[in-house]
């Protein structure tokens, strides 16, 4: 058995990220903290001394994947002294020390507000074998991008708020992420300026519901409305594109639509999760809006912002969902004709109101509804894509396209993937591409002089 000789042995960390953009942002943050603390990162799990999973509790399937990964590491851990296995993210706050009962070889469980301590707890676990659980919330802590260790040179996520107070009856996020807290606007603008100075051209402002930014608890310092914040960020020198996520349809104000329509850096794109198209089920979900309200907001957005790209989240098989309720969702799809739909089978989460409802829907009915919904959603997405044929897209280049030799790819302002042939392009270049074909939801085209 190999023994680590001293504290300065460089440890290689492998990290796998599950879940939403908040986790992606926070994994980048943890990676930069590790690099600053003499760790190195590896993309090859077989080279690692430390394996971290940044986890998600939103659906059972997401948790099952992590439990299975953890199970596979019991022998790996024993093979060499000093190896460390850790769980970060939402499973850390939802299970805390109970995770160690399921996986006794686990060394550390660290929740999203405790990441500054990750380098230290890894070191302690490696040297002394001590396991630790740090899952408390900390209202004033917000992860920030480290401009010396950006995961991409041209794009970054910025956390503007955390937690959620909406308590939709199906959702675990208010429990895993705690109370909703807004970050001071001056900190957000300052981070944007630092990123722009480092060469970042696109930022995405993140929160579980950005529309309630500034309401309720504030961490410290000033907050303004989300629309005002968006305007300030959009006006930072060097920032060419601003996106945001997620907007709850209940409190999407005209002021926000106005800022989207008038600030040239704000992209023509919005993710507006509707969850379902039946008022009866929306009520049971505690979403607090009606289908009519939702459609009115979509109508106002579309009439104010040309070529707006609209995406949504949908849940099928929520408790009590009848064929008629599901038909409401299918009708809503026909009315909105989304550019992309993220669809999920309802997954009961411990501690939530919906998990205790007695009229759970059978798995086969969920499967069947999901398949029908996806078929319709794909058809709409492909048709929306086809409507871009012949148009010139402004593409922010991400890098070489894996599947197209000699090709590059990037995103249009609406956030569609665009592939084109060329030479010498770098991430962050802005290129005009005339679209000449599409494959499902991706566009292909020719660079314009
Ligand atoms: N704050 C965002 C949603 C974050 S969770 C919002 O309110 O829009 C992302 C998506 O996961 C949700 O929009 C929902 O569609 C889905 N989701 C959440 N809980 C779920 C559950 N228990 N089962 C299935 N899907 C779920
Ligand atoms: Fe979950 Fe609802 Fe909060 Fe979104 S708004 S995170 S779905 S509780
Ligand atoms: Fe999952 Fe937590 Fe995000 S539960 S969706 S990683 S906030």
């Amino acid at each position: 058995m190999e023994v680590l000789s001293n504290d300065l042995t460089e440890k290689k960390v492998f990290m796998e990220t599950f879940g939403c953009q908040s986790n992606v942002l926070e994994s980048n943050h943890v990676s930069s903290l590790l690099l600053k603390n003499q760790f190195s990162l590896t993309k090859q799990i077989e080279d690692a001394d430390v394996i971290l999973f940044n986890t998600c509790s939103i659906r059972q399937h997401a948790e099952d994947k992590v439990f299975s990964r953890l199970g596979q590491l019991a022998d790996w851990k024993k093979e060499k002294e000093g190896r460390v296995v850790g769980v970060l993210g939402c499973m850390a706050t939802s299970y805390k020390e109970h995770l160690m009962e399921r996986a006794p070889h686990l060394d550390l469980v660290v929740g999203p507000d405790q990441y500054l301590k990750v380098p230290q707890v890894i070191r302690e676990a490696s040297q002394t074998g001590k396991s630790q659980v740090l899952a408390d919330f900390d209202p004033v802590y917000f992860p920030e991008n480290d401009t010396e260790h950006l995961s991409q040179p041209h794009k970054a996520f910025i956390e503007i708020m955390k937690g959620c107070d909406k308590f939709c009856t199906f959702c675990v996020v208010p429990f895993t992420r705690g109370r909703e807290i807004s970050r001071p606007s001056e900190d957000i603008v300052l981070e944007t300026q630092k990123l722009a100075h480092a060469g970042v051209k696109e930022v995405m402002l993140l929160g579980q519901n950005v529309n309630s930014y500034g309401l309720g608890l504030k961490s410290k310092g000033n907050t303004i409305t989300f629309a005002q914040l968006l305007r300030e960020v959009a006006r930072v020198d060097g920032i060419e594109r601003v996106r945001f996520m997620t907007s709850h349809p209940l409190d999407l104000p005209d002021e926000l639509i106005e800022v989207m329509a008038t600030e040239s850096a704000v992209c023509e794109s919005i993710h507006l999760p509707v969850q379902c198209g039946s008022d009866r089920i929306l009520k049971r979900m505690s979403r607090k809006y009606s289908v009519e309200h939702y459609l009115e907001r979509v109508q106002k957005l579309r009439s104010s912002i040309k070529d707006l790209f609209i995406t949504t989240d949908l849940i099928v098989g929520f408790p009590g969902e009848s064929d008629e309720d599901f038909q409401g969702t299918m009708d809503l799809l026909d009315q909105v004709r989304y550019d992309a739909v993220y669809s999920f089978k309802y997954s009961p989460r411990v501690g939530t109101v919906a998990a205790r409802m007695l009229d759970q829907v059978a798995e086969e009915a969920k499967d069947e509804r999901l398949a029908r919904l996806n078929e319709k959603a794909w058809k709409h997405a492909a048709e929306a894509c086809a409507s871009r044929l012949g148009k010139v897209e402004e593409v922010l280049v991400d890098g070489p396209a894996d599947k197209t030799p000699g090709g590059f790819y990037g995103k249009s302002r609406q956030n569609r993937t665009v592939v084109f042939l060329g030479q010498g392009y770098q991430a962050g270049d802005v290129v005009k591409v005339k679209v000449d074909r599409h494959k499902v939801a991706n566009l292909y085209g020719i660079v314009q002089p």
Side-chain angles (χ1 to χ4, degrees):
M1 186 184 276
E2 218 180 291
V3 178
L4 290 170
S5 52
N6 62 47
D7 301 354
L8 298 172
T9 312
E10 189 191 65
K11 289 217 176 335
K12 292 203 181 78
V13 184
F14 171 88
M15 184 156 30
E16 185 172 3
T17 305
F18 301 84
C20 63
Q21 279 83 354
S22 298
N23 272 12
V24 174
L25 177 155
E26 287 158 1
S27 283
N28 292 341
H29 173 63
V30 171
S31 298
S32 63
L33 290 171
L34 289 168
L35 290 170
K36 275 200 164 140
N37 282 276
Q38 282 81 48
F39 290 89
S40 65
L41 303 174
T42 175
K43 291 197 162 84
Q44 261 60 47
I45 195 163
E46 42 306 339
D47 295 341
D49 308 293
V50 178
I51 297 180
L52 301 177
F53 298 114
N54 193 0
T55 61
C56 173
S57 287
I58 203 85
R59 286 169 289 275
Q60 189 59 43
H61 181 63
E63 291 194 345
D64 289 345
K65 273 196 269 186
V66 171
F67 281 123
S68 131
R69 296 277 205 289
L70 285 174
Q72 289 158 6
L73 291 180
D75 290 339
W76 176 85
K77 175 81 199 285
K78 282 185 222 140
E79 279 161 21
K80 190 168 161 191
E81 195 165 307
R83 283 183 167 172
V84 175
V85 182
V87 165
L88 315 178
C90 287
M91 285 173 75
T93 40
S94 49
Y95 288 90
K96 303 188 179 70
E97 60 279 1
H98 298 295
L99 274 178
M100 266 92 177
E101 293 161 15
R102 293 277 296 263
H105 53 289
L106 191 55
D107 299 286
L108 51 105
V109 172
V110 184
D113 285 357
Q114 300 291 331
Y115 288 156
L116 292 177
K117 297 186 189 127
V118 167
Q120 183 197 334
V121 291
I122 294 178
R123 212 161 265 137
E124 287 171 8
S126 170
Q127 287 166 356
T128 66
K130 177 175 151 199
S131 59
Q132 295 190 55
V133 178
L134 302 171
D136 289 346
F137 295 120
D138 175 351
V140 295
Y141 166 76
F142 278 89
E144 197 173 307
N145 285 284
D146 175 350
T147 50
E148 282 173 27
H149 301 291
L150 292 175
S151 63
Q152 298 184 94
H154 59 309
K155 283 182 182 179
F157 291 136
I158 299 180
E159 189 157 77
I160 65 161
M161 56 196 300
K162 58 184 180 178
C164 184
D165 287 350
K166 285 259 189 294
F167 287 93
C168 302
T169 57
F170 51 81
C171 184
V172 80
V173 171
F175 306 98
T176 65
R177 294 279 172 162
R179 296 291 51 76
E180 189 170 283
I181 299 173
S182 299
R183 184 177 173 197
S185 56
E186 51 273 27
D187 292 2
I188 298 165
V189 173
L190 192 64
E191 182 173 1
T192 312
Q193 288 165 339
K194 282 191 212 159
L195 287 166
H197 190 68
V200 168
K201 292 187 174 162
E202 174 178 318
V203 293
M204 181 181 270
L205 307 181
L206 288 185
Q208 288 302 336
N209 173 22
V210 294
N211 297 332
S212 54
Y213 175 80
L215 308 171
L217 271 180
K218 299 166 177 63
S219 82
K220 57 173 187 197
N222 290 326
T223 57
I224 42 188
T225 65
F226 176 62
Q228 289 165 335
L229 175 72
L230 186 63
R231 197 185 286 284
E232 283 200 22
V233 168
R235 291 186 178 180
V236 168
D237 273 349
I239 294 298
E240 293 176 22
R241 292 180 173 192
V242 185
R243 304 183 190 279
F244 55 88
M245 203 154 131
T246 303
S247 249
H248 191 295
L250 172 68
D251 43 16
L252 177 98
D254 285 347
E255 186 197 13
L256 176 60
I257 300 176
E258 165 75 20
V259 171
M260 290 180 74
T262 52
E263 287 299 323
S264 58
V266 179
C267 289
E268 297 74 40
S269 168
I270 190 165
H271 184 58
L272 201 61
V274 65
Q275 310 302 354
C276 83
S278 148
D279 282 341
R280 200 176 69 85
I281 298 294
L282 283 172
K283 202 168 196 134
R284 287 174 62 122
M285 288 176 160
S286 196
R287 290 290 287 185
K288 302 192 174 71
Y289 52 81
S290 62
V291 174
E292 192 189 350
H293 170 83
Y294 184 88
L295 291 173
E296 184 277 323
R297 291 287 79 189
V298 168
Q299 161 64 25
K300 174 88 192 196
L301 280 159
R302 283 227 164 106
S303 62
S304 312
I305 302 153
K306 189 169 170 286
D307 285 343
L308 183 67
F309 187 84
I310 306 187
T311 59
T312 202
D313 292 343
L314 283 164
I315 295 180
V316 297
F318 183 84
E321 184 187 71
S322 64
D323 287 340
E324 200 187 337
D325 294 318
F326 176 66
Q327 191 53 47
T329 300
M330 295 290 269
D331 293 346
L332 177 96
L333 286 187
D334 282 329
Q335 278 171 287
V336 180
R337 305 182 67 83
Y338 290 102
D339 292 285
V341 168
Y342 301 89
S343 54
F344 311 102
K345 282 193 281 175
Y346 168 69
S347 169
R349 311 313 296 137
V350 173
T352 60
V353 170
R356 294 192 292 274
M357 291 178 181
L358 298 177
D359 41 4
Q360 299 287 326
V361 171
E363 211 51 33
E364 305 79 70
K366 290 184 194 170
D367 286 333
E368 191 258 336
R369 287 174 191 172
L370 186 67
R372 281 173 55 202
L373 185 151
N374 283 343
E375 196 186 337
K376 193 182 270 295
W378 274 107
K379 196 168 145 274
H380 291 161
E383 283 168 13
C385 233
S387 74
R388 306 303 294 176
L389 290 174
K391 296 211 158 70
V392 176
E393 300 282 2
E394 180 203 287
V395 180
L396 181 64
V397 177
D398 286 316
D402 289 346
K403 292 184 195 147
T404 308
F408 289 83
Y409 80 103
K411 295 284 187 190
S412 70
R413 284 183 58 91
Q414 295 178 312
N415 221 14
R416 285 200 165 93
T417 300
V418 184
V419 180
F420 58 93
L421 295 177
Q423 274 183 343
Y425 292 107
Q426 307 275 339
D429 289 347
V430 177
V431 186
K432 292 220 178 324
V433 176
K434 185 164 185 188
V435 178
D436 59 8
R437 70 190 169 95
H438 77 102
K439 204 155 89 188
V440 198
N442 290 348
L443 301 177
Y444 294 78
I446 295 166
V447 176
Q448 299 297 287

